[in-house]
Amino acid sequence: MVSFDFHPRTRVVFGPGSVTRAGQLARDLGFHRTLVVADAGIRDSGHADRLIDALTADGIETFLFDRFGVNPDSDMVDAGAAFPRPLHIDSIVAIGGGSSLDCAKGINFILRNGGTMADYRGYGKAATPLLPMIGIPTTAGTGSEAQSYAVISDPKTHMKMACGAPSAAFRIAILDPDLTLTAPRHVSAMAGYDAIAHAVETAVTAKRTPLSDTFSHQAWKLLSEAFERVLLHPGDAEARGAMLLGAHLAGIAIENSMLGAAHACANPLTARYNVAHGLALAIVLPHVVRWNAPAARDGYAALLGAPRRRVRDEDAAETLARRLEDFAIAGHLSVTLSDVGVPAEAIPELAQLAAQQWTGTFNPRPFDAQGAGEIYRAAV
């Protein structure tokens, strides 16, 4: 078996209404003066106010930062770090989708260690430990609350930088399915597809372990069974809970297995053509699964719970790819590059950019610009 070093750093509090426990949980960690990080949509939805009420009820002073957008870049992070400097905060609570959670981590890096986000690209480059944080996701998507990485965009190239440190992990993740009920259908679809992609990619990476497989497989089971239920019945509390927990487990899998070619191919689509991340994954993931088949067929079969025992058994990669295409259609997500305005002429540049993505180095089949080009051309 493959060796591994598993070190969970995040306490998980799951259940409907659990956001109301935020104040007591924060007090247990010694929070007194807290920066609340929430994007404008979360503020307008009332979720930030619910959180602030829970914190202030336990005597915690709060300061709200909401001046950032989708795919936060290092300029937004710098603004977020400048805001609390004179406030003498001792902690951070982030509420929202991956944008809020990643922005909070980025702010923490700069607030405690200075410099720019580019200084922390990779892992373990923060000399000073970060302030303690609580993460509260409102979408079942990125699983950022389970990871010790901040994913922040470069404001010039718009390419994403993964910046990690042990202390960037949230001390507590509060998983409250009720908070996902207000997400619009298209947000639930794109976030959910992102989580599904995490389960699929982590199940076959070159870095996977028997333990990471446990998280990948359970995440897939929860997500694949609940995804269409949530889209058809948005008020289905059981399905909402399954999606949120599945996304979190997939996030743990990322922490221990990393990702692969699908994320490497998706990121340039977001950077160059502003294609939403979940949508970009819906376009490329089925083709990545087919492209990876020679190296990952058994891993895909294990994920589906149907290992191939005979040559004539159905091909697991093709079965999975078709299932993923069905999910995209159910979510009303685009399935080709032409659907989102990406011309075939752009493929050579996109392929070069994809080959430079860190996640591609963990792909089960060796991944380079030629491979990226093959995947993009299949998605035209």
Side-chain angles (χ1 to χ4, degrees):
M1 279 193 174
V2 177
S3 299
F4 60 83
D5 184 344
F6 179 59
H7 184 180
R9 301 181 178 92
T10 303
R11 174 184 175 187
V12 181
V13 177
F14 174 86
S18 53
V19 70
T20 60
R21 297 180 57 190
Q24 185 56 57
L25 292 168
R27 291 293 291 183
D28 290 346
L29 291 176
F31 289 19
H32 295 284
R33 295 172 61 83
T34 294
L35 178 69
V36 174
V37 179
D39 66 43
I42 296 301
R43 179 201 64 209
D44 294 343
S45 73
H47 290 328
D49 285 340
R50 287 184 65 194
L51 169 62
I52 289 170
D53 288 346
L55 293 170
T56 55
D58 272 276
I60 298 168
E61 196 169 0
T62 62
F63 309 91
L64 176 65
F65 177 73
D66 59 10
R67 296 192 300 275
F68 60 96
V70 178
N71 298 318
D73 61 34
S74 55
D75 287 345
M76 298 174 192
V77 168
D78 288 344
F83 170 71
R85 275 200 182 97
L87 302 175
H88 306 293
I89 64 166
D90 57 22
S91 49
I92 298 176
V93 179
I95 183 168
S99 298
S100 292
L101 274 59
D102 283 338
C103 190
K105 295 178 194 175
I107 288 169
N108 211 343
F109 269 103
I110 304 304
L111 191 62
R112 293 288 285 165
N113 289 272
T116 67
M117 285 309 303
D119 298 329
Y120 306 104
R121 188 194 296 261
Y123 196 79
K125 297 180 181 178
T128 303
L130 276 58
L131 295 174
M133 295 184 290
I134 293 174
I136 309 173
T138 59
T139 60
T142 67
S144 178
E145 76 284 350
Q147 301 163 41
S148 60
Y149 283 86
V151 180
I152 305 296
S153 295
D154 182 303
K156 296 184 177 64
T157 66
H158 305 292
M159 297 299 285
K160 294 184 178 183
M161 302 178 287
C163 307
S167 60
F170 290 103
R171 299 287 183 87
I172 298 175
I174 299 176
L175 307 182
D176 185 342
D178 290 348
L179 297 178
T180 70
L181 292 170
T182 59
R185 186 186 191 279
H186 73 280
V187 172
S188 293
M190 287 194 289
Y193 203 98
D194 187 17
I196 287 169
H198 294 163
V200 170
E201 291 221 276
T202 56
V204 297
T205 68
K207 194 174 182 288
R208 57 184 272 264
T209 71
L211 187 63
S212 70
D213 279 352
T214 299
F215 294 112
S216 301
H217 292 184
Q218 184 62 22
W220 166 260
K221 184 178 188 301
L222 290 167
L223 295 165
S224 63
E225 292 177 358
F227 180 71
E228 291 175 284
R229 283 170 56 196
V230 161
L231 298 179
L232 288 171
H233 307 288
D236 185 331
E238 194 72 20
R240 288 284 183 179
M243 288 298 296
L244 191 59
L245 183 56
H248 182 79
L249 295 177
I252 298 175
I254 294 172
E255 185 79 356
N256 294 276
S257 176
M258 299 306 293
L259 294 163
H263 278 73
C265 288
N267 288 344
L269 295 176
T270 300
R272 288 291 186 265
Y273 289 91
N274 201 31
V275 180
H277 182 62
L279 182 55
L281 286 168
I283 293 169
V284 301
L285 182 60
H287 303 292
V288 169
V289 168
R290 292 186 175 103
W291 189 82
N292 274 340
R297 189 173 279 111
D298 288 345
Y300 293 141
L303 185 71
L304 292 170
R308 298 173 80 242
R309 296 181 176 88
R310 302 164 300 178
V311 172
R312 65 180 180 271
D313 285 348
E314 187 172 1
D315 182 80
E318 183 60 29
T319 299
L320 178 57
R322 290 179 183 178
R323 186 86 180 274
L324 294 168
E325 288 169 340
D326 288 344
F327 285 148
I329 292 168
H332 299 167
L333 303 175
S334 301
V335 294
T336 68
L337 292 175
S338 58
D339 287 342
V340 293
V342 178
E345 298 77 40
I347 288 177
E349 181 196 11
L350 291 171
Q352 290 295 330
L353 292 171
Q356 298 169 28
Q357 295 293 296
W358 190 39
T359 58
T361 64
F362 303 101
N363 198 64
R365 179 179 174 182
F367 177 73
D368 56 16
Q370 180 179 336
E374 292 171 7
I375 292 165
Y376 283 132
R377 281 190 287 275
V380 170

